[in-house]
């Protein structure tokens, strides 16, 4: 329904003169008739939004290149042959792409493309070469307990066992509270930005189901009550305890040390 | 050793002699504090409490020294805590029953630096002990309790590490020809090692528990490598193995960052999650960032019928650094 509405809105907007309905900021939307085939629309969206860094037809751009991006950005980007629908789905639906500057870390942001435009772009990138499809994880088949063990082993070094994200030199490991099961499965296999990728030998599909089940659980863990402090563990808890205890102790000292008035 | 004992005995004799000498001069001068009645029962109690404190502290040392004591932590806490409690009780008893006390109330006087006042204070302190009859015995009890307690508090320093025998620190289970296995004890095959990810490996048929056992294994493309001199052939097909233990504080290195697009992104690196020491696998584990003071030790590899195995021992001592670590080599015994 939404897709149909979006297409209708596009159809209404397109015949009108430029300026009647400003296109959404940050992306280039081609003027295409509403019945444009998906791949054709994807190709046009790619040309407008991706090709400055990933090159025409996904050949990639190796720096140093001439400034050719929007705002004279020195473009650079990896080739997209064979990355498949998996990578395109991940990078586009998380808002990681399009990237403002080619050397900055992609971060989760608002997705500017409409659902039909996303489908079109993913289909186009998938058509560039034979690549893996979008994974379909089944967290229901996994075990949260096994997922916790696997997550601790493979993921917690960067993302923290509470899935709240963390830091490493040169990059930020994102928090996983907004990641959908599909996106978690995609990221494990792709290894976006500086994250290593985990092939099936390291993490099998069944194990991946358990990891996804754990991350889903960790978004809303069983709450025993009290002050969670971001569930970051003993350091903030100790800090708060010491601050509170310290204040109480200073208060005690003030009471004891007060001179008796006569 | 005998010299040390001589000094200790001489010091003790001097101390006891001095105390004995000072106790004789009391009676001649005019008193400020009225002489208190002796309280031998309280003295006996104090002696008993000091003896208990001594026993508690000695018990701590004994428990600390013994292996396989059940509930060791609780016993350590109990003995030390009781010793401190008995010492405190003894001090309280001395203050309440043995020192002559009187309660006075007056406004704070103007501060004066009067010499006679200072003498008076010294005299008050001296004469306050007039109830005490067995002064030397009490002093001895106090010294015994305090000394044993002090000894108990520094006993754990003995566990700080081997003083001379540091061989255990450099010993590793890796030998030429020892194969690499993963967590599930499966042999690591060279063709299974992919780029852009990392593997943890252990020595086949040896304990995984020792500091020198765990490895972090990655594959880089051979033209990326810039290993130090003398490490030719250490990385067959670009497969590199390093100790997984950070050279700073001994944490397990569980972070591997790898660029998706190396042209504009930071290069591959191992990152320790504890203090963010960052090591470059391409250049022999050199430190790129963080508090680690020396490179990650590299293990030379070779491929024997498709299976990865060690070609020698590490390039340097494994684990956190200590005094003189740079002069050592990884053990080959």
């Amino acid at each position: 329904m939404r897709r149909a509405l979006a297409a209708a809105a596009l159809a209404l907007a397109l015949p009108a003169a430029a300026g009647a309905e400003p296109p959404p900021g940050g992306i280039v939307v081609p003027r295409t008739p509403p019945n444009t085939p998906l791949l054709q629309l994807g190709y046009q969206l790619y040309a407008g939004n991706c090709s400055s860094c990933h090159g025409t037809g996904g050949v990639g751009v190796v720096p140093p290149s001439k400034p050719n991006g929007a705002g004279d950005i020195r473009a650079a980007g990896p080739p997209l042959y064979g990355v498949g629908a998996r990578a395109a789905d991940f990078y586009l639906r998380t808002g990681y792409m399009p990237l403002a500057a080619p050397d900055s870390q992609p971060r989760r942001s608002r997705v500017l493309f409409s659902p039909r435009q996303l489908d079109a772009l993913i289909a186009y990138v998938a058509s560039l070469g034979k690549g893996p499809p979008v994974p379909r994880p089944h967290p229901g088949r996994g075990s949260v307990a096994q997922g916790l063990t696997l997550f601790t082993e493979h993921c917690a070094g960067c993302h923290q066992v509470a899935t709240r994200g963390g830091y490493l030199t040169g990059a930020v490991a994102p928090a996983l509270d907004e990641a959908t099961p599909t996106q978690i499965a995609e990221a494990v296999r792709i290894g976006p930005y500086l994250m290593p990728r985990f092939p099936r030998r390291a993490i099998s599909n069944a194990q991946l189901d358990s990891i996804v089940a754990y991350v889903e659980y960790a978004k809303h863990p069983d709450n025993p009550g009290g002050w969670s402090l971001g569930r970051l563990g003993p350091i903030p808890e100790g800090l708060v305890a010491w601050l509170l205890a310290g204040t109480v102790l200073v208060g005690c000292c003030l009471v004891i040390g007060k001179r008796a008035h006569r | 050793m005998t010299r040390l004992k001589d000094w200790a005995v001489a010091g003790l004799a001097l101390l006891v002699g001095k105390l004995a000498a000072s106790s004789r001069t009391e009676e001649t001068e005019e008193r400020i504090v009225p002489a208190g009645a002796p309280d031998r029962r309280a003295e006996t109690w104090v002696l008993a409490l000091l003896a208990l404190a001594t026993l508690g502290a000695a018990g701590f040392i004994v428990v600390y020294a013994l292996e396989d004591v059940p509930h060791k932590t609780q016993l350590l806490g109990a003995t030390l805590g009781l010793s401190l409690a008995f010492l405190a009780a003894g001090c309280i008893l001395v203050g309440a029953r043995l020192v002559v006390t009187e309660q006075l109330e007056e406004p704070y006087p103007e501060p004066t630096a009067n010499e006679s006042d200072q003498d008076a204070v010294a005299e008050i302190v001296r004469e306050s002990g007039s109830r005490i009859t067995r002064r030397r015995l009490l002093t001895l009890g106090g010294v015994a309790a305090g000394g044993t307690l002090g000894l108990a508090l520094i006993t754990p320093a003995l566990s700080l590490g081997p003083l001379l025998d540091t061989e255990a620190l450099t010993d590793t289970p890796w030998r030429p020809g020892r194969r690499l296995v993963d967590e599930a004890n499966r042999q690591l095959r060279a063709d299974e090692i992919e780029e852009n990810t990392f593997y943890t490996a252990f020595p086949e048929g040896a304990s995984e528990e020792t500091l020198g056992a765990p490895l972090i294994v990655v594959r880089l493309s051979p033209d990326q490598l810039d290993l130090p001199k003398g490490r030719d052939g250490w990385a067959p097909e670009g497969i590199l193995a390093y100790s997984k233990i950070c050279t700073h504080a001994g944490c397990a290195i569980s972070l591997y960052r790898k660029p998706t697009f190396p042209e504009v992104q930071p290069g591959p690196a191992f990152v320790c999650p504890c203090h963010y020491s960052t090591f470059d696998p391409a250049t022999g584990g050199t430190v790129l960032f963080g508090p680690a003071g020396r490179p990650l030790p590299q293990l030379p590899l070779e491929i024997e019928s498709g299976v990865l195995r060690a070609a020698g021992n590490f390039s340097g001592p494994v684990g956190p650094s200590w005094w003189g670590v740079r002069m050592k080599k990884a053990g080959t015994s």
Side-chain angles (χ1 to χ4, degrees), chain B:
Chain B
M1 205 59 209
T2 50
R3 206 191 164 95
L4 198 71
K5 209 173 83 184
D6 290 347
W7 275 105
V9 168
L12 204 67
L14 197 70
L15 191 75
V16 171
K18 205 158 179 166
L19 287 169
S22 64
S23 66
R24 280 182 218 114
T25 58
E26 273 173 23
E27 310 303 329
T28 54
E29 284 162 40
E30 199 182 325
R31 303 192 62 93
I32 300 175
V33 178
D39 190 346
R40 290 182 65 87
R41 246 184 89 206
E43 278 179 26
T44 312
W45 269 106
V46 170
L47 279 170
L49 286 168
L50 289 178
L52 284 171
T54 313
L55 276 179
F60 176 89
I61 298 174
V62 170
V63 174
Y64 193 89
L66 288 180
E67 297 270 335
D68 304 325
V69 181
H71 307 297
K72 189 166 177 172
T73 311
Q74 285 77 3
L75 275 176
L76 286 177
T79 47
L80 198 61
L82 280 175
S83 176
L84 287 167
F86 284 130
L87 191 63
C91 291
I92 290 171
L93 207 58
V94 169
R97 302 289 299 276
L98 289 186
V99 175
V100 181
T101 52
E102 54 180 333
Q103 216 160 14
L104 295 172
E105 198 177 84
E106 59 179 283
Y108 279 113
E110 290 298 311
T112 49
N114 197 323
E115 210 161 290
S116 66
D117 284 358
Q118 292 177 11
D119 289 344
V121 169
E123 198 179 338
I124 288 172
V125 170
R126 203 164 54 240
E127 292 170 0
S128 296
S130 58
R131 293 174 100 168
I132 297 172
T133 55
R134 288 170 288 177
R135 178 182 294 271
R136 284 173 63 178
L137 192 59
L138 273 175
T139 311
L140 203 66
V143 168
T148 325
L149 195 57
L151 216 59
L153 291 179
I154 58 168
T155 307
L158 292 176
S159 297
L160 281 178
L163 213 56
L164 300 169
D165 176 25
T166 54
E167 203 167 287
L169 298 176
T170 53
D171 193 30
T172 86
W174 292 102
R175 310 276 176 271
R178 181 155 268 170
R179 284 191 280 262
L180 276 66
V181 292
D182 66 4
E183 294 96 328
N185 222 22
R186 286 179 304 179
Q187 289 177 354
L188 237 59
R189 297 189 60 83
D191 51 7
E192 290 170 340
I193 306 292
E194 294 183 27
E195 279 186 42
N196 296 327
T197 187
F198 68 104
Y199 303 84
T200 301
F202 298 98
E204 189 180 45
S207 169
E208 299 182 354
E209 306 279 316
T210 56
L211 205 60
L215 297 179
I216 182 162
V217 180
V218 292
R219 183 197 276 268
L220 298 177
S221 74
D223 56 323
Q224 266 180 287
L225 298 184
D226 185 17
L227 293 177
K229 268 182 203 162
R231 296 196 196 174
D232 298 330
W234 280 34
E237 298 180 17
I239 300 173
L240 298 139
Y242 290 92
S243 164
K244 202 181 165 74
I245 307 299
C246 182
T247 55
H248 168 231
C251 294
I253 291 167
S254 56
L255 285 68
Y256 177 56
R257 77 163 195 220
K258 70 97 193 69
T260 298
F261 185 50
E263 281 78 0
V264 296
Q265 292 170 0
F270 302 127
V271 184
C272 176
C274 287
H275 309 96
Y276 297 106
S277 289
T278 305
F279 304 92
D280 188 352
T283 60
T286 48
V287 181
L288 292 173
F289 177 84
R294 61 193 176 94
L296 212 53
Q298 186 183 357
L299 186 76
L301 291 180
E302 60 189 17
I303 299 170
E304 168 66 28
S305 53
V307 178
L308 287 173
R309 63 183 207 182
N313 213 319
F314 286 105
S315 57
V318 167
S321 301
W322 72 93
W323 191 14
V325 69
R326 285 178 189 78
M327 295 177 295
K328 301 271 183 191
K329 286 190 74 174
T332 45
S333 57

